[in-house]
Amino acid sequence: MKLRLPSFRTLVLITAIAAIYYASARFGLTLALERTNASPVWPPSGIAFAFVLLLGYRIWPGIAIGAFLANLTTFLSYGDVAPIPIIVVSSLIAVGNTLEAICGAFLLRLWIGSRNPFDHALDYLRFFLTVLLMCAVAATIGPTTLLSFGFFSKTLYPVVWFTWWLGDIVGILVLTPIFIAWRPPLFPPRWKLRRYFEILLFAFFFWIMAETIFGTYFHVEGIHFKYTLILFVIYAAFRFGQIGASLAVLTLSAITIWNTYHGIGPFVVESQNESLLILQLFIAATSFTSLFVSAVLNDQKNTEEKLRQDQERTHLILETANDAFIGMDEKGDITDWNRQAQMLFGWLREEVIGRPLAGVIIPHRYREAHWKGLKHFFATHEGPILNKRLELSALHRKGHEFLVELTVWPIRFEGSYRFNAVLRDITERKRAEERLKQVIEFAPNAMVMVNQEGKIMLANQMVEKVFGYSHEELVGKPIETLVPHRFREKHESDRKVFHQQPTARPVAGRELYGLHKNGTEIPVEIGLSPVETPDGTLVLAAIIDISERKQAEKRVAQFVKEIESANEELRGFAHIVSHDLKAPLRGIATVVEWLMNDYRAKLGKKGEEWLELINERVNLSHTLIDGILEYSSVGQVKGKAREIDLNVLVREVIDVLMPPENISVEVESTLPTIHADPVRIRQIFQNLIGNAIKYMDKPNGKIKIRCEPDGAYWKFSISDNGPGISENYFEKIFQMFQTLQRKDKSKSTGIGLALVKKIVESYGGSIWLESKVGEGSTFYFTLPSKGAVVYEEARQQNEIRRI
Ligand code: ADP
């Protein structure tokens, strides 16, 4: 451990304490038993203890030096003692005196910590006990040392020990409180002039009393007033607190010691030491009494203050509470009425305190019941409305009634009953509850409100329709009544989990069923939402009967299946029919060929023309049959999708079509690259450009091809300045076999646009046209730009979902 030198400040402090200790010790030693240094009056003990308590253990050298020097000089003044024993004895006595203060401070801190020992009665008792113990330290070390060096005979030891001990005790009892109690401010600022006058008067009578006892001015012989002095110090304790008590004790001890020392007064007996010892016992008792009284008073004051603060706090809590608080005594009179009560009922506190509660807030028709209830309570100590949350009508000062929620509870207070009530206006809440009830009652879905235990609190009209139970049959029953037996157990545990963290949500799970009163199960969908109410969190369940939807879904699935198989059949049929139709056609064509070859001359010109016609019709039938096959294969036969540069593809299509001289075909914008089946895309352009060329009726035919982005699509257009199409046919031309030409007159089959529409739509695009008769037509169609593959996947998924 590193040794630290005391600071300059500490050094000054130690020196000052040494000086004070030395001076007071020298004074004490003047009253010491001869050649013992044991004095019945020993102020240094009180000073030393106060300093250690106030400044800490570090000032111990001050005590040691002061004590050493005081004893040393006293012994020296005897003149006949050798220097070595003087030094040793003085040192040991100094050790005893120092240890006494240190031990005392240690013990006291251990017991009461850093509290002022004079503030509480119990602490003062501990202080007193500490003093008795600590003083034994010096009283043992000092006299024992003196005895062993032969300063006095063994027989004197008990007297010396006791004198030493008592001197130290009284020194502490009288002086330590002065130091500890006298902390600034010396005079409390709330002391009035009257208080100073009282002090003066007190001092005057104190002096009179002292004079009566020890007096030189007046003296009553033979009557001892000495114990009346105690009254004065007690009075001081009562009126002036710790400071007053300790000052009075100090004054008293100064006066009595002075007089007794001079052989005056009631404490004087034969030997001076004995006189002083008796006096010191008296002072110790007086000091103890007065400081104990002051501590008790202080305790009481604190308790009262705490009580007052508690009351204040309670009052504040009640005043700032959101609820009205009303107190009533046994007679039924109002005793408390807080701010909220004033606001709720319109009566001021001072107007209602002391008036019967019934006359103020209870509507006339309930007053008799109120008095009866009160009587019943005193007869049986039971009250059906006590300690419960109730909803009742209350009367406002203006005469109207309103709904309140209230709780009344009785308390026993100072031997009689008091009734406390907390009230709250619930008009608004009731209205909201009513509105909610209405909404629930007339909701288009079945709705039930369930409490935390799973009991049904409310069920609306629709519940009866869906489950067959009436409202009355369900209220109070467990919600599981509406759950099929096989789900009940799980439902109960799920319900508990939901109640722990209720949030609005649909009930998860694919298949939910309710149980009808007649035992059948109903497929349902359920949504849950928590509703906060004064009775806790309730859960509102909205239940939708989805039986019809389920059936409809079933029906749709059935239809889709049927259509699928019909489609399948049709496709097969188309294939067979086309195939079978082609065979006789081929037969006809062969017969026509034979006729042409073998009978051309016999048939003549007319016959030859007819044979030509037959041939043409056979070819058209071929084309028709191919068209049907083609059409039915779109969306069935999947070609491989790949990147197609439309600039190349469209150019190829135009080349194949070989437009005549008078028709120009222009691609007006750069065309995109798309991801699709090239065969199908070629069919789109071939048909649309082909039609534009085929139906061109102008000497200067102009066909234009354009493309522009349109959201996630490309929008293509093919416009011509041909004959145009009347708006009546905008829809029709996209249908199968619809042509605007007479079939026997032209080569049109009416399949081209139907095929194009089917292809475009199979990619998720659409097709339409704008046209004016005589001016020309523009065909528009869109194709997805993000890639046909992505679209195709989405389409398939969609179809799956629809099924
Ligand atoms: P087809 O060309 O074999 O008759 P389409 O389905 O391709 O069959 O066309 C249906 C009808 O629409 C045609 O018969 C024709 O009258 C009309 N049409 C198609 N394209 C044009 C066009 N560019 N200008 C005028 N009429 C058209």
Side-chain angles (χ1 to χ4, degrees):
M1 201 175 79
K2 217 175 130 190
L3 201 71
R4 260 204 6 221
L5 280 175
S7 68
F8 178 71
R9 218 175 132 243
T10 315
L11 281 177
V12 171
L13 212 60
I14 288 171
T15 316
I17 289 166
I20 296 170
Y21 193 98
Y22 175 80
S24 63
R26 287 292 303 199
F27 163 71
L29 285 169
T30 56
L31 305 175
L33 266 176
E34 212 175 315
R35 298 183 67 82
T36 62
N37 281 15
S39 170
V41 180
W42 192 247
S45 62
I47 294 169
F49 191 35
F51 280 142
V52 177
L53 285 180
L54 291 175
L55 303 170
Y57 297 118
R58 68 199 163 110
I59 54 96
W60 69 268
I63 304 172
I65 295 166
F68 173 73
L69 290 177
N71 279 289
L72 188 78
T73 48
T74 308
F75 284 124
L76 281 177
S77 68
Y78 298 160
D80 57 352
V81 194
I84 300 295
I86 291 181
I87 292 175
V88 175
V89 170
S90 302
S91 308
L92 284 173
I93 291 176
V95 167
N97 291 351
T98 312
L99 262 183
E100 174 185 279
I102 299 288
C103 289
F106 177 77
L107 207 59
L108 193 64
R109 291 281 165 257
L110 203 69
W111 246 342
I112 67 163
S114 56
R115 284 201 297 267
N116 179 341
F118 311 108
D119 276 350
H120 305 287
L122 203 63
D123 286 351
Y124 184 64
L125 287 180
R126 287 173 178 144
F127 171 81
F128 190 72
L129 196 64
T130 306
V131 175
L132 297 188
L133 290 174
M134 67 190 270
C135 290
V137 175
T140 304
I141 295 176
T144 311
T145 313
L146 287 166
L147 180 72
S148 51
F149 277 83
F151 279 81
F152 54 79
S153 67
K154 241 187 196 152
T155 47
L156 263 180
Y157 186 79
V159 182
V160 175
W161 193 93
F162 185 70
T163 308
W164 199 296
W165 187 58
L166 189 62
D168 279 16
I169 289 174
V170 178
I172 294 174
L173 290 185
V174 173
L175 283 171
T176 307
I178 301 272
F179 286 93
I180 298 210
W182 270 55
R183 273 190 245 167
L186 288 188
F187 299 101
R190 57 193 145 85
W191 277 17
K192 303 232 166 65
L193 201 63
R194 233 183 45 207
R195 184 55 75 95
Y196 293 105
F197 182 67
E198 185 183 344
I199 294 172
L200 272 180
L201 216 63
F202 171 78
F204 174 71
F205 281 112
F206 200 18
W207 173 73
I208 298 266
M209 193 36 82
E211 278 302 327
T212 315
I213 294 168
F214 305 103
T216 41
Y217 292 102
F218 46 87
H219 184 63
V220 186
E221 195 61 51
I223 301 174
H224 293 310
F225 288 102
K226 60 183 174 192
Y227 293 108
T228 48
L229 285 169
I230 295 181
L231 294 179
F232 279 87
V233 292
I234 290 180
Y235 181 85
F238 259 105
R239 297 294 302 160
F240 314 121
Q242 258 171 46
I243 303 168
S246 49
L247 259 185
V249 170
L250 181 71
T251 317
L252 174 80
S253 78
I255 294 172
T256 48
I257 288 170
W258 169 263
N259 284 298
T260 309
Y261 177 68
H262 288 98
I264 308 165
F267 299 100
V268 178
V269 288
E270 259 173 45
S271 91
Q272 190 203 50
N273 190 58
E274 215 175 306
S275 311
L276 286 174
L277 283 179
I278 294 169
L279 170 65
Q280 289 295 69
L281 276 175
F282 171 74
I283 291 176
T286 314
S287 166
F288 174 80
T289 314
S290 68
L291 279 153
F292 188 64
V293 164
S294 113
V296 168
L297 287 173
N298 197 47
D299 272 347
Q300 193 189 345
K301 208 175 77 194
N302 285 343
T303 315
E304 274 169 12
E305 176 63 21
K306 219 177 141 265
L307 206 69
R308 199 190 57 74
Q309 279 174 1
D310 275 359
Q311 273 175 353
E312 179 99 327
R313 215 180 44 229
T314 316
H315 178 73
L316 268 177
I317 290 171
L318 287 182
E319 280 304 294
T320 51
N322 274 334
D323 291 337
F325 177 83
I326 298 175
M328 185 184 85
D329 63 13
E330 282 190 349
K331 288 186 294 179
D333 292 342
I334 296 168
T335 53
D336 290 289
W337 189 263
N338 75 348
R339 211 167 49 87
Q340 273 299 322
Q342 301 195 132
M343 278 155 70
L344 196 59
F345 294 99
W347 292 99
L348 289 178
R349 201 181 129 77
E350 42 285 11
E351 290 172 317
V352 293
I353 293 285
R355 280 183 55 187
L357 181 83
V360 180
I361 65 162
I362 298 181
H364 290 274
R365 57 186 188 286
Y366 298 126
R367 287 186 186 168
E368 212 182 304
H370 165 77
W371 291 120
K372 264 192 193 158
L374 209 57
K375 263 194 208 143
H376 176 79
F377 176 78
F378 288 118
T380 62
H381 289 277
E382 276 171 19
I385 72 155
L386 298 175
N387 297 315
K388 271 187 219 143
R389 225 183 47 225
L390 303 164
E391 286 174 9
L392 292 176
S393 284
L395 189 65
H396 191 272
R397 180 180 199 160
K398 289 187 180 145
H400 62 265
E401 287 183 19
F402 59 104
L403 268 181
V404 291
E405 181 186 88
L406 94 159
T407 316
V408 187
W409 68 100
I411 49 165
R412 240 176 122 70
F413 184 66
E414 290 175 351
S416 64
Y417 275 103
R418 285 280 187 95
F419 300 90
N420 292 333
V422 171
L423 304 94
R424 178 182 294 185
D425 183 353
I426 53 165
T427 317
E428 263 316 303
R429 197 178 80 204
K430 279 278 143 193
R431 246 181 241 157
E433 274 176 24
E434 211 40 57
R435 273 200 296 270
L436 181 67
K437 260 192 196 159
Q438 292 283 321
V439 169
I440 293 173
E441 183 62 22
F442 299 109
N445 300 331
M447 284 183 140
V448 283
M449 187 98 92
V450 179
N451 73 3
Q452 273 163 342
E453 286 84 50
K455 291 252 152 48
I456 298 172
M457 312 285 287
L458 201 95
N460 71 353
Q461 290 178 355
M462 282 299 283
V463 172
E464 188 165 357
K465 251 192 180 168
V466 175
F467 291 94
Y469 290 102
S470 72
H471 175 265
E472 290 73 26
E473 282 174 301
L474 282 178
V475 168
K477 295 265 166 56
I479 182 69
E480 278 75 26
T481 314
L482 303 178
V483 177
H485 294 273
R486 58 194 170 116
F487 298 124
R488 279 188 186 169
E489 212 170 298
K490 177 153 188 336
H491 186 269
E492 223 167 291
S493 64
D494 286 355
R495 174 161 61 73
K496 281 174 189 153
V497 171
F498 179 80
H499 255 300
Q500 278 160 9
Q501 251 186 342
T503 45
R505 62 170 176 80
V507 175
R510 283 175 66 86
E511 304 283 289
L512 294 171
Y513 291 94
L515 184 66
H516 192 275
K517 190 178 177 182
N518 64 18
T520 52
E521 289 192 5
I522 317 148
V524 288
E525 250 175 29
I526 301 175
L528 300 177
S529 37
V531 181
E532 297 297 333
T533 73
D535 304 315
T537 309
L538 303 184
V539 175
L540 184 65
I543 306 154
I544 304 171
D545 177 357
I546 55 167
S547 320
E548 278 180 19
R549 200 170 80 198
K550 281 259 162 184
Q551 269 160 13
E553 274 173 13
K554 243 190 212 160
R555 277 201 298 276
V556 169
Q558 185 62 31
F559 282 148
V560 170
K561 229 177 170 181
E562 282 169 15
I563 290 167
E564 286 267 297
S565 72
N567 259 346
E568 197 55 46
E569 255 171 49
L570 256 180
R571 269 194 297 273
F573 180 71
H575 197 79
I576 294 163
V577 168
S578 322
H579 193 265
D580 289 357
L581 279 179
K582 272 187 175 178
L585 277 180
R586 265 195 301 274
I588 294 168
T590 318
V591 174
V592 169
E593 208 181 314
W594 290 342
L595 282 174
M596 287 285 245
N597 289 344
D598 299 349
Y599 295 92
R600 190 188 287 260
K602 282 186 192 160
L603 287 172
K605 187 109 177 98
K606 202 73 185 161
E608 203 177 324
E609 265 176 31
W610 284 347
L611 281 181
E612 270 311 316
L613 198 60
I614 292 174
N615 232 352
E616 246 172 55
R617 300 276 162 93
V618 166
N619 280 341
L620 184 61
S621 294
H622 257 293
T623 324
L624 262 174
I625 291 166
D626 284 344
I628 293 169
L629 274 180
E630 194 64 49
Y631 183 85
S632 73
S633 74
V634 174
Q636 291 307 311
V637 185
K638 289 229 161 29
K640 257 216 157 134
R642 56 182 172 79
E643 299 291 307
I644 311 159
D645 182 351
L646 291 179
N647 297 301
V648 179
L649 184 134
V650 170
R651 190 43 52 205
E652 282 171 9
V653 168
I654 297 168
D655 288 347
V656 169
L657 286 172
M658 288 191 297
E661 294 278 289
N662 65 323
I663 300 175
S664 68
V665 183
E666 264 176 62
V667 181
E668 287 206 325
S669 51
T670 319
L671 299 177
T673 298
I674 62 166
H675 189 90
D677 176 4
V679 177
R680 297 295 177 211
I681 302 300
R682 187 180 293 273
Q683 278 171 327
I684 298 175
F685 284 99
Q686 203 156 329
N687 272 293
L688 293 177
I689 302 170
N691 277 350
I693 296 172
K694 189 160 72 179
Y695 298 109
M696 180 55 68
D697 58 350
K698 304 287 173 342
N700 255 335
K702 282 201 172 89
I703 299 171
K704 287 170 185 159
I705 300 159
R706 279 189 211 99
C707 176
E708 59 186 71
D710 180 18
Y713 292 84
W714 292 113
K715 186 168 93 180
F716 297 90
S717 65
I718 291 149
S719 59
D720 61 56
N721 59 346
I725 300 163
S726 157
E727 210 176 324
N728 300 339
Y729 301 112
F730 279 10
E731 296 272 320
K732 217 173 164 194
I733 52 168
F734 290 109
Q735 289 166 12
M736 194 68 169
F737 308 130
Q738 294 296 335
T739 83
L740 304 184
Q741 280 66 40
R742 278 188 46 204
K743 272 203 186 123
D744 54 340
K745 281 269 163 108
S746 73
K747 289 181 181 165
S748 33
T749 57
I751 291 175
L753 287 179
L755 183 71
V756 169
K757 183 171 157 72
K758 202 172 174 192
I759 297 171
V760 168
E761 285 178 355
S762 82
Y763 281 106
S766 50
I767 181 161
W768 68 98
L769 77 150
E770 286 169 3
S771 181
K772 256 197 183 148
V773 177
E775 286 183 18
S777 323
T778 304
F779 282 83
Y780 295 94
F781 68 96
T782 57
L783 288 174
S785 57
K786 291 245 167 74
V789 179
V790 178
Y791 167 75
E792 189 62 18
E793 276 168 12
R795 193 178 69 94
Q796 279 173 9
Q797 272 176 10
N798 230 354
E799 230 148 67
I800 290 164
R801 215 174 308 143
R802 250 181 280 143
I803 291 165

